[in-house]
Amino acid sequence: MIEEISANLYKIEIPLPMSPLKALNSYVIKDTERNLIIDTGWNQEECRNAMQTGLKELGVDIKKTDFFISHLHADHFGLLSSLTTESTTIYFNRPDADRFRSGFRLDDFVKFARLNGYPENELEAIRQSHPGLKFRAKEGLVFHITEEGDTINVGEYAFKCVATPGHTWGHMCLYEPNKKIFVAGDHILNDITPNIQLWSDEWDPLNEYLASLDKVYELDIELVLPGHRGIFKNCKERIQELKHHHQKRLNEIISILEGSSKNAFQIASQMSWDIICDSWDLFPVSQKWFATGEAIAHLKFLGEKGIIRREMQGQKILFSMARL
Ligand SMILES: [Zn+2]
């Protein structure tokens, strides 16, 4: 459960029951003054128990502990509700903090999903089971906003904040230039691909994500501490693989759209997904939702580049190849 990664820097594995992610990596840096915990887990029982057991084993006093949260998703952020005390500082990026303050607007997501061809009966299932809704943090948390280039000092570590938007609006990583350690959140994972989703029309997350990958590529990194699965060393190689993965996805969508127009849900159902399931219809509810969000992010990217076009047909958005 607990692994020492570097001097006074530990990983606690927080289980995420029923999630294909399996677990969240929470990183704990111990210091005589204030400890720092990076990312937490869902706001539910198993996560809370694992965190409490881990902190006890490490001898961490929660009253002398601050938090850095890489991004707003409930598996990183939700458990904060159970862990903060009166003296806690929560370091968090501004774009995600703004979204948190405006509340979880599932109705807006559902409306957008409907425009993109999501079937009505499946939308009801999403309302019941969306983990972002079920395991989110309680309202009212107060943040210390971190900006690009800010430094967070803890013990012998001086972490620089690196803005890496894409996986969420304001996703932020930490980089320790002397130790060449990079705390990646969900920006770069090794065994799985970070999910890039879009559920509104207001930004182009894939474009921002690819730019964030290029930015991190320039850093001198020896060890990557990701939000899920194993820690790893070959950061530059992994960045190239991730870029290649998205290029393949974009090409796949182009070939699906060749000769006919389709909505995003139909396109997602024809894409190849890394999941052991006999057919699209048998995908678990949440996986279908993530897949469609991912398809929409790629469609937005292609639309912004002028490669495909979109039009309203009745109550649905249809995509087709742009005529040159
Ligand atoms: Zn995430």
Side-chain angles (χ1 to χ4, degrees):
M1 280 276 279
I2 295 180
E3 192 184 327
E4 182 168 13
I5 290 157
S6 173
N8 295 312
L9 195 168
Y10 303 86
K11 182 184 97 174
I12 304 180
E13 205 172 283
I14 309 287
L16 300 172
M18 311 290 282
S19 164
L21 294 169
K22 295 181 183 161
L24 171 102
N25 297 329
S26 178
Y27 297 99
V28 182
I29 300 115
K30 278 179 71 176
D31 183 35
T32 45
E33 299 286 315
R34 306 278 305 169
N35 311 297
L36 184 73
I37 296 179
I38 303 168
D39 291 343
T40 61
W42 283 329
N43 188 16
Q44 55 91 282
E45 204 54 34
E46 278 111 322
C47 293
R48 198 170 302 120
N49 290 341
M51 179 63 87
Q52 274 163 1
T53 308
L55 294 180
K56 201 170 161 196
E57 207 173 311
L58 288 173
V60 166
D61 180 356
I62 200 73
K63 291 193 205 72
K64 288 187 182 172
T65 301
D66 298 320
F67 293 86
F68 174 88
I69 304 295
S70 63
H71 65 291
L72 183 59
H73 289 159
D75 51 334
H76 297 252
F77 182 94
L79 191 59
L80 261 184
S81 287
S82 306
L83 298 169
T84 52
T85 65
E86 276 180 4
S87 65
T88 305
T89 299
I90 305 169
Y91 299 101
F92 199 38
N93 71 78
R94 190 181 303 281
D96 284 8
D98 288 345
R99 302 292 155 153
F100 176 73
R101 288 191 200 106
S102 60
F104 193 95
R105 297 171 307 189
L106 188 64
D107 283 345
D108 291 352
F109 296 151
V110 164
K111 213 185 283 176
F112 192 70
R114 199 174 278 138
L115 281 174
N116 280 287
Y118 223 91
E120 216 51 50
N121 56 333
E122 306 219 8
L123 284 174
E124 197 39 52
I126 284 295
R127 279 184 195 279
Q128 308 295 332
S129 70
H130 196 293
L133 192 64
K134 233 163 69 181
F135 303 132
R136 67 189 156 158
K138 292 200 189 85
E139 285 164 23
L141 295 169
V142 179
F143 307 113
H144 176 102
I145 298 294
T146 46
E147 307 280 358
E148 168 81 17
D150 284 355
T151 302
I152 300 172
N153 291 297
V154 47
E156 62 216 271
Y157 297 86
F159 288 108
K160 282 234 171 307
C161 296
V162 184
T164 48
H167 181 69
T168 61
W169 308 270
H171 189 288
M172 192 169 260
C173 298
L174 291 177
Y175 176 50
E176 220 301 345
N178 295 315
K179 301 193 184 292
K180 299 181 181 166
I181 287 176
F182 187 71
V183 186
D186 281 357
H187 181 52
I188 305 171
L189 305 171
N190 199 25
D191 319 87
I192 43 178
T193 313
N195 187 275
I196 308 300
Q197 294 187 60
L198 181 62
W199 289 108
S200 70
D201 213 12
E202 61 202 40
W203 69 311
D204 182 350
L206 183 57
N207 195 44
E208 298 214 19
Y209 179 68
L210 295 173
S212 295
L213 285 179
D214 287 340
K215 182 174 160 185
V216 174
Y217 191 86
E218 298 303 318
L219 301 176
D220 184 8
I221 294 167
E222 271 175 13
L223 192 64
V224 183
L225 312 186
H228 305 280
R229 310 289 177 94
I231 60 177
F232 60 99
K233 289 194 162 147
N234 50 342
C235 187
K236 283 197 196 310
E237 206 180 305
R238 184 59 185 150
I239 288 174
Q240 281 167 337
E241 283 172 9
L242 289 170
K243 288 181 71 170
H244 180 67
H245 164 85
H246 288 291
Q247 194 51 55
K248 256 173 56 192
R249 277 267 151 92
L250 292 166
N251 294 343
E252 187 180 26
I253 289 178
I254 289 170
S255 67
I256 289 170
L257 281 178
E258 226 47 272
S260 66
S261 50
K262 295 184 172 81
N263 65 48
F265 187 83
Q266 292 169 325
I267 293 164
S269 75
Q270 291 180 27
M271 290 168 71
S272 40
W273 302 103
D274 212 1
I275 170 172
I276 303 157
C277 218
D278 286 343
S279 75
W280 171 255
D281 291 333
L282 297 173
F283 268 39
V285 170
S286 60
Q287 294 312 303
K288 229 183 245 187
W289 177 262
F290 291 143
T292 306
E294 178 112 11
I296 295 170
H298 285 74
L299 288 161
K300 175 75 174 178
F301 181 90
L302 290 170
E304 292 293 312
K305 296 272 180 291
I307 297 167
I308 63 170
R309 64 195 182 98
R310 42 177 268 177
E311 60 189 328
M312 285 300 291
Q313 205 171 79
Q315 299 296 312
K316 305 249 184 290
I317 301 168
L318 279 189
F319 296 90
S320 55
M321 295 305 292
R323 314 239 180 284
L324 298 173

